[in-house]
Amino acid sequence: MANMSDPLVIGGIIGDVVESFSPSVRMNVTYNSNKQVYNGHELFPSIVSMKPMVEVDGGDLRSFFTLILTDPDVPGPSDPYLREHLHWIVTDIPGTTNATFGREVVDYEMPRPNIGIHRFVFLLFKQKRRETIKITVPLPRDLFNTRKFAEENELGLPVAALFFNAQRETAARSRR
């Protein structure tokens, strides 16, 4: 289980979004083919405008995964009453490849934080078998609940997680 020096604990992901878990699969997330996501690092919204490449390492030909991208800090981190905002769901990702080969069931929505610094969390769950996820897309995407989603779809705890921080980007801060 996660310890107190784990970036997911320090960043509040464990607790705010999911329960403590032991990672068993490696996940790499890269935007624009060169901006890798590291826990707690800041990325500018202009960098994350297009969906990232998500690589799964640690599965096999019989493994399938579900990926969720969520923002637990909506509308702002001091009062996240719309927690969580859903940005992306991909299911049936083969255990030996990347999310490009999965089934995108909720289209990627670019992170656009308005107030404060937001955490954007990638969570990877191992499915019991292929095509088991039955999704009802929340409209709007606010008030999504990762724990409830995982429970309803018998996903259990995540097998991997990563998060980055982002805040509103002014013209002076914009870096492409």
Side-chain angles (χ1 to χ4, degrees):
M1 292 297 175
N3 64 40
M4 295 310 286
S5 63
D6 185 327
L8 297 172
V9 173
I10 294 168
I13 306 308
I14 303 291
D16 288 349
V17 182
V18 293
E19 303 305 320
S20 185
F21 70 97
S22 296
S24 59
V25 171
R26 195 176 138 153
M27 173 175 58
N28 291 312
V29 179
T30 309
Y31 280 95
N32 298 330
S33 71
N34 66 350
K35 288 287 185 187
Q36 188 161 350
V37 173
Y38 295 101
N39 281 325
H41 287 212
E42 182 174 4
L43 294 176
F44 294 108
S46 58
I47 297 293
V48 298
S49 62
M50 303 298 286
K51 71 176 89 166
M53 171 69 76
V54 179
E55 297 170 298
V56 176
D57 183 21
D60 57 39
L61 294 173
R62 297 178 311 255
S63 302
F64 292 93
F65 297 90
T66 293
L67 175 74
I68 295 172
L69 174 59
T70 184
D71 174 358
D73 299 318
V74 177
S78 63
D79 185 18
Y81 64 88
L82 296 176
R83 172 178 292 169
E84 302 164 37
H85 184 84
L86 178 63
H87 283 269
W88 197 27
I89 296 180
V90 182
T91 65
D92 298 329
I93 301 167
T96 56
T97 186
N98 61 56
T100 307
F101 295 97
R103 183 171 61 102
E104 188 175 52
V105 292
V106 175
D107 293 341
Y108 180 81
E109 179 181 273
M110 171 187 170
R112 291 185 188 146
N114 285 323
I115 304 166
I117 299 170
H118 289 235
R119 299 164 294 167
F120 293 91
V121 186
F122 290 93
L123 296 151
L124 190 69
F125 295 88
K126 186 172 183 180
Q127 297 173 205
K128 292 186 179 198
R129 61 195 156 282
R130 189 175 188 172
E131 298 178 355
T132 58
I133 309 300
K134 310 272 188 286
I135 308 247
T136 330
V137 180
L139 295 174
R141 295 182 187 207
D142 293 330
L143 302 174
F144 180 77
N145 186 307
T146 297
R147 287 180 178 98
K148 182 178 176 187
F149 176 84
E151 183 181 316
E152 288 172 351
N153 291 287
E154 299 177 4
L155 294 172
L157 293 172
V159 294
L162 279 171
F163 80 100
F164 67 90
N165 295 317
Q167 59 186 307
R168 187 175 182 170
E169 189 169 10
T170 63
R173 289 186 67 213
S174 182
R175 296 181 192 165
R176 292 189 185 257

